[in-house]
Amino acid sequence: MMRLGHKIPVEPLDEQRYQRVEDAIVAAMPGSSPASAAAPGRTPGQRWFARLGGARWLVPAVVAAGVALALYAGLGGLDAGDPGQPLPTRIATGDGSSTFGLGDAVCTAAPHSDLTLDLSGDSAGRANIAWQLERGEITCEVEPRPERAAVVVRAGAVTVTVVGTVFTVGRGSGDSREVYVAVSRGQVRVDTAGRSFEVGTGQRWTESTMEVTSSDAEWAAAVGDRAAATRGPEAGAEAGADSDVDTDA
Amino acid sequence: MLVDRCLDGEQAAARELFRRQRGRVQASLYRILGSNRDMDDLLQETFIQVFRSLGSFRGESRLATWIDRIAVRAAYRHLSRSRNQLTPVPLDIVDASASGDVPGVGAEPAGRRAEPFGQTVAREGVRRLYAALAQLPAKGRIAFALHAIDGRPVAEVARLVAASETATKLRIWRARRALERIAADDPILREFLREDAG
């Protein structure tokens, strides 16, 4: 029989949320005033606030709105507006990860990742949906988009252009800051140092070898180990607060 | 007895009972729903019902089991209500640094080192699992989640969902079949559901 519990860690509720629930329950207990029982502890506005996760989510949500708006323009094929006015949006994850829906793309930034969305226009005047990965790892699932501006992830001197795929780009934060690309489905193009590589389903590319080879579980584990080693213990402190973003552009 | 003090309307006792039970109930609800998005309301609904019905608790089962039954009913109502709504993507499901009220909850399994690539794949697997579960009928989803994710024996699941063991087994089996059908076209979900993966 399928046993999945060990693969699904439970995200605990923070104490503030527990406390709000506790206060509401006590207020609604038999013997409390009718008013508090009818409206257990929270006004409709407060309930909506709680549904959104409280203040912990508010700042990332505002950031997400910016990201969503920006990507709506890009993913929806709208004009980018003035290419001379880029709209940078930064996502820095702490110990947790961050998954966000952006139009027809779903991206997950791994813990201790730092990336910036840059919508500077391309030469054709359309938006470039470009993620600048400073550190960590981003995995994106992007629907095929032949007639629209490509999704791009830049990491150092490496540029990964996405056509329609599920892929991961990672970058360590140590001295080497090596970049790696793994493709689960579809195809991406990797451009660096004047060379171009096509990386397809089940293939991997690493900056140190400049080679495209077949993926395997051992390599995936090795990449994880190397990235963790190069990140260093101080990286988490640099990464800033968790950014939890959930948008549907 | 804590229950008697609660029945006497002692608020401190109610708070104590809530604090003792909240972590376990939240963990079970989380495993059914896959996120904390509506957790405040679900916990509130569950425990308000607990305190309103406490007078009918006859001690024939453990208090925890009795509360779990109420929580499962709340989850069922929630899933039935939101059946036609947009399925939320669970956020921050893997948070290795977090710690909860329940031992093992919120932490990586012992002996496993956090690996960005592996975590990312696992997280995507979880996301797809709950997206697939959202396509199932609420009863099947709950029975499957309580058994396969929350790790409860079929007999206990049957008591929680107030169904026979045969009916519960059938719901779990149907849910598993449906998941396997969905996973047939989804390599990431298929890998995640593999017995030895994880």
Side-chain angles (χ1 to χ4, degrees):
Chain A
M1 183 61 209
M2 251 178 230
R3 297 287 179 191
L4 302 170
H6 65 289
K7 301 179 190 175
I8 306 176
V10 173
E11 181 191 350
L13 216 57
D14 65 59
E15 188 55 39
Q16 270 189 327
R17 289 175 73 179
Y18 270 134
Q19 191 59 54
R20 277 199 301 268
V21 173
E22 183 181 313
D23 291 343
I25 293 165
V26 170
M29 276 182 68
S32 295
S33 71
S36 62
R42 281 184 270 167
T43 65
Q46 287 171 322
R47 286 173 70 88
W48 267 107
F49 187 71
R51 276 176 195 276
L52 292 172
R56 191 165 81 91
W57 304 92
L58 193 56
V59 172
V62 170
V63 172
V67 173
L69 187 64
L71 281 165
Y72 175 70
L75 294 169
L78 300 180
D79 289 337
D82 182 0
Q85 291 187 326
L87 181 59
T89 302
R90 183 179 173 217
I91 293 179
T93 55
D95 290 333
S97 62
S98 184
T99 298
F100 36 94
L102 304 159
D104 58 4
V106 177
C107 298
T108 298
H112 308 298
S113 295
D114 190 346
L115 55 150
T116 305
L117 174 68
D118 184 2
L119 290 182
S120 54
D122 62 14
S123 56
R126 291 188 306 182
N128 254 347
I129 304 152
W131 292 104
Q132 183 74 41
L133 180 68
E134 298 297 335
R135 178 180 54 231
E137 197 175 79
I138 180 173
T139 296
C140 289
E141 180 173 358
V142 183
E143 293 300 316
R145 39 193 310 101
E147 298 300 324
R148 290 176 287 165
V151 173
V152 174
V153 178
R154 298 191 190 101
V158 178
T159 298
V160 182
T161 304
V162 183
V163 179
T165 184
V166 181
F167 70 104
T168 297
V169 179
R171 189 183 191 193
S173 62
D175 291 340
S176 72
R177 308 201 75 190
E178 182 180 50
V179 178
Y180 54 90
V181 179
V183 178
S184 306
R185 189 181 74 221
Q187 191 170 47
V188 302
R189 190 182 71 239
V190 179
D191 293 304
T192 184
R195 298 174 65 186
S196 187
F197 304 87
E198 299 288 339
V199 186
T201 301
Q203 291 185 318
R204 66 190 189 247
W205 176 91
T206 49
E207 192 175 18
S208 57
T209 62
M210 291 276 184
E211 286 180 355
V212 178
T213 51
S214 295
S215 284
D216 53 48
E218 287 75 18
W219 179 84
V223 165
D225 282 342
R226 188 158 61 246
T230 55
R231 183 182 304 119
E234 77 287 355
E238 294 171 5
D242 283 6
S243 172
D244 301 297
V245 185
D246 182 15
T247 64
D248 287 298
Chain B
M1 281 285 290
L2 190 58
V3 170
D4 295 331
R5 288 168 53 207
C6 290
L7 288 171
D8 288 342
E10 190 183 322
Q11 290 195 352
R15 290 184 187 276
E16 176 67 22
L17 191 149
F18 174 71
R19 287 172 192 174
R20 284 187 193 179
Q21 302 289 338
R22 66 184 192 180
R24 202 197 65 263
V25 172
Q26 183 262 342
S28 289
L29 288 171
Y30 187 96
R31 290 182 181 118
I32 292 171
L33 303 171
S35 86
N36 277 330
R37 200 182 82 148
D38 296 316
M39 192 59 71
D40 309 57
D41 287 341
L42 273 168
L43 282 175
Q44 190 172 320
E45 186 177 337
T46 298
F47 280 93
I48 284 175
Q49 191 58 48
V50 164
F51 289 117
R52 283 181 179 161
S53 307
L54 207 50
S56 66
F57 173 63
R58 296 189 295 273
E60 290 167 354
S61 60
R62 288 174 58 231
L63 179 65
T65 307
W66 184 76
I67 291 173
D68 286 352
R69 210 147 40 209
I70 293 173
V72 166
R73 278 204 295 271
Y76 176 73
R77 281 193 295 273
H78 172 76
L79 289 174
S80 301
R81 277 196 302 265
S82 56
R83 185 98 172 94
N84 296 321
Q85 295 175 8
L86 186 67
T87 305
V89 175
L91 299 176
D92 237 11
I93 282 171
V94 179
D95 184 353
S97 70
S99 60
D101 290 353
V102 181
V105 167
E108 281 284 281
R112 276 184 61 193
R113 183 156 169 261
E115 294 178 355
F117 187 87
Q119 274 192 352
T120 303
V121 172
R123 192 177 314 109
E124 182 62 16
V126 173
R127 191 182 73 81
R128 290 176 189 227
L129 169 65
Y130 279 99
L133 285 174
Q135 300 176 38
L136 308 186
K139 285 180 180 176
R141 174 178 179 170
I142 288 173
F144 178 85
L146 288 171
H147 181 61
I149 303 175
D150 210 17
R152 298 176 189 255
V154 171
E156 185 182 345
V157 175
R159 283 195 294 276
L160 291 179
V161 301
S164 68
E165 282 193 37
T166 305
T168 303
K169 277 183 190 171
L170 191 61
R171 287 177 195 173
I172 295 169
W173 180 78
R174 282 179 178 155
R176 193 181 66 183
R177 281 280 303 274
L179 281 179
E180 287 170 349
R181 275 198 298 273
I182 295 168
D185 297 324
D186 185 337
I188 292 178
L189 179 59
R190 194 164 63 238
E191 177 67 17
F192 184 77
L193 295 178
R194 260 179 42 188
E195 291 291 319
D196 56 344

